[in-house]
Amino acid sequence: MDESRREEFIQAVNKAYAEEMKKINDQLDKELLIALVGEVNAGKSTTINQILGKNVARTNPRPGETVSIDPYNHEGLEKIKFMDTPGLNDPNDENPKKTLEFIKKADIILFFTNAAGTVFSESEKERFQEIEQHNQNILIVLNKIDAAEDIDGLVQFIKSYTENKYDVIPISSKTGENIDELKNQILDLLKKRGKDLLFAKSMSDKSAAANRWIVAAGVSAGAIGAVPIPGSDVVPLTALQVGLLLKLSALYGKQLSLKDAKDLIIITAAKTVGQTLYRQVVKFIPGAGSAAGGVIASSLTLALGYGVKHAYENDIDINFDKITALFHQFRKRKKR
């Protein structure tokens, strides 16, 4: 990397590091409000415990157990507040006005219906319509599919009734079926509100969230690297990679200094046989240049992300030989 290119790279890292750290700190300073709505024994609390991998929500098999609508959290999850309530008009609700105010402010509403019972009963329809008037950040959870038949038909019935406005996720909080899909849908919705990192950090299993971010970064890197203008990808690609590294470090509770971020990207580029320079050179070749640049940029970003994820998850030093091997593996796969 020549001196001018190196200076451009360093400036890009410095700028990206400051901007991404601010975004992360701002997000982690926010509160996340989650409303759990549904009939009694719809499996709300059990589902939350499944998603987070820890017992944060109270569970009890007796009907009508949820009588208080005070938001609650759990040690270590002080920024995340849950409200578990059967619905806005339930007679067990001690304070309907308080429930409504929480519903209005909620970042996400998980609306539960029982696949083994009457799906979208008249009382559920009434509650859903009232909630929808105040907040449309809703995911519909069709729970207890392990005890029901024709799940596809039930999903289509709900989608038809709600005019396909909302995602419907069929799950079993008992067996864990489709819990990962529910996690992904929650993260998608929270990403739009700038709170996906906060929720992902609360999960015991952070791997799924990390994989989503790495894959998304790889796709974006491919688009950046494919721009057929020599040198045009240095700043945006560097910013993308720095952002990914910082998000992964925040997810796993690791510290990543500015120097560490620079070293990671520089060493990775050097270990992959000077591909940063090659990425610029190939763009002078008509036709093939942009395709090759996209493949290399994407493979480099994926290898960097998965290599760092592996080190963080296993609490070991980052292995650059592993990152190099991953790079060649991804590059070979993408060239097919």
Side-chain angles (χ1 to χ4, degrees):
M1 189 182 297
D2 61 39
E3 192 59 35
S4 63
R5 183 72 69 206
R6 183 179 181 85
E7 182 60 30
E8 183 182 8
F9 167 78
I10 291 173
Q11 289 180 4
V13 173
N14 291 344
K15 184 172 185 291
Y17 186 91
E19 290 177 349
E20 293 301 322
M21 278 299 294
K22 184 178 186 307
K23 289 179 186 177
I24 287 171
N25 290 331
D26 286 348
Q27 181 173 163
L28 296 180
D29 281 340
K30 296 176 181 177
E31 276 194 340
L32 175 58
L33 309 180
I34 300 176
L36 313 174
V37 180
E39 301 282 3
V40 294
N41 282 343
K44 302 185 295 294
S45 300
T46 305
T47 299
I48 284 296
N49 292 339
Q50 279 268 20
I51 291 171
L52 300 182
K54 59 189 81 171
N55 291 325
V56 300
R58 301 171 289 254
T59 60
N60 195 300
R62 291 176 297 176
E65 177 63 18
T66 302
V67 295
S68 173
I69 48 76
D70 290 325
Y72 63 93
N73 54 26
H74 184 74
E75 184 179 355
L77 302 179
E78 286 77 9
K79 292 288 185 179
I80 302 180
K81 294 190 181 300
F82 301 92
M83 175 178 278
D84 188 353
T85 173
L88 295 176
N89 299 317
D90 193 276
N92 286 331
D93 192 334
E94 295 176 345
N95 191 335
K97 184 177 180 181
K98 196 175 190 178
T99 300
L100 180 57
E101 286 305 309
F102 191 92
I103 289 291
K104 288 179 178 178
K105 295 177 183 177
D107 293 292
I108 186 168
I109 296 168
L110 300 181
F111 190 94
F112 287 78
T113 188
N114 185 353
T118 303
V119 174
F120 260 49
S121 63
E122 290 306 313
S123 60
E124 284 180 328
K125 290 177 181 177
E126 183 179 345
R127 290 168 186 162
F128 187 86
Q129 289 168 1
E130 187 171 358
I131 289 169
E132 189 180 28
Q133 291 174 10
H134 300 288
N135 191 332
Q136 295 188 357
N137 296 310
I138 302 171
L139 286 178
I140 301 173
V141 183
L142 178 64
N143 195 12
K144 303 191 179 182
I145 60 173
D146 56 290
E149 298 179 354
D150 191 21
I151 304 305
D152 290 341
L154 293 175
V155 169
Q156 288 306 313
F157 166 72
I158 297 171
K159 286 188 173 184
S160 176
Y161 177 78
T162 58
E163 299 179 342
N164 289 303
K165 291 180 183 178
Y166 308 99
D167 288 312
V168 181
I169 304 93
I171 69 161
S172 169
S173 59
K174 180 180 179 180
T175 67
E177 185 177 357
N178 290 345
I179 290 293
D180 283 344
E181 174 61 21
L182 179 57
K183 290 180 187 178
N184 288 337
Q185 293 290 346
I186 291 173
L187 288 169
D188 276 345
L189 190 54
L190 291 179
K191 181 179 180 181
K192 298 173 185 176
R193 302 180 66 79
K195 296 186 177 183
D196 56 327
L197 174 57
L198 185 60
F199 189 74
K201 276 181 68 66
S202 71
M203 297 180 188
S204 295
D205 180 10
K206 298 174 173 57
S207 185
N211 288 341
R212 287 168 57 79
W213 296 340
I214 294 167
V215 170
V219 173
S220 296
I224 293 169
V227 176
I229 304 173
S232 64
D233 63 347
V234 172
V235 173
L237 184 57
T238 300
L240 176 73
Q241 292 174 343
V242 169
L244 174 62
L245 292 176
L246 285 175
K247 205 167 183 180
L248 290 174
S249 66
L251 176 66
Y252 289 101
K254 304 292 184 179
Q255 294 294 324
L256 185 73
S257 68
L258 176 58
K259 180 180 182 303
D260 290 338
K262 290 177 184 176
D263 289 347
L264 265 172
I265 296 174
I266 290 174
I267 294 173
T268 297
K271 286 281 186 179
T272 51
V273 200
Q275 297 296 351
T276 300
L277 177 61
Y278 175 71
R279 191 172 59 248
Q280 309 307 319
V281 175
V282 293
K283 290 179 183 177
F284 286 108
I285 305 173
S290 59
V295 167
I296 292 171
S298 178
S299 300
L300 195 64
T301 302
L302 288 171
L304 186 61
Y306 282 116
V308 169
K309 172 179 178 282
H310 176 78
Y312 285 166
E313 287 185 342
N314 293 280
D315 199 24
I316 58 177
D317 291 336
I318 293 169
N319 186 323
F320 288 98
D321 289 337
K322 179 177 181 63
I323 292 176
T324 301
L326 285 170
F327 167 79
H328 290 298
Q329 176 183 325
F330 289 128
R331 186 183 174 197
K332 183 177 180 181
R333 187 184 302 169
K334 288 176 178 294
K335 287 175 67 177
R336 289 176 182 171

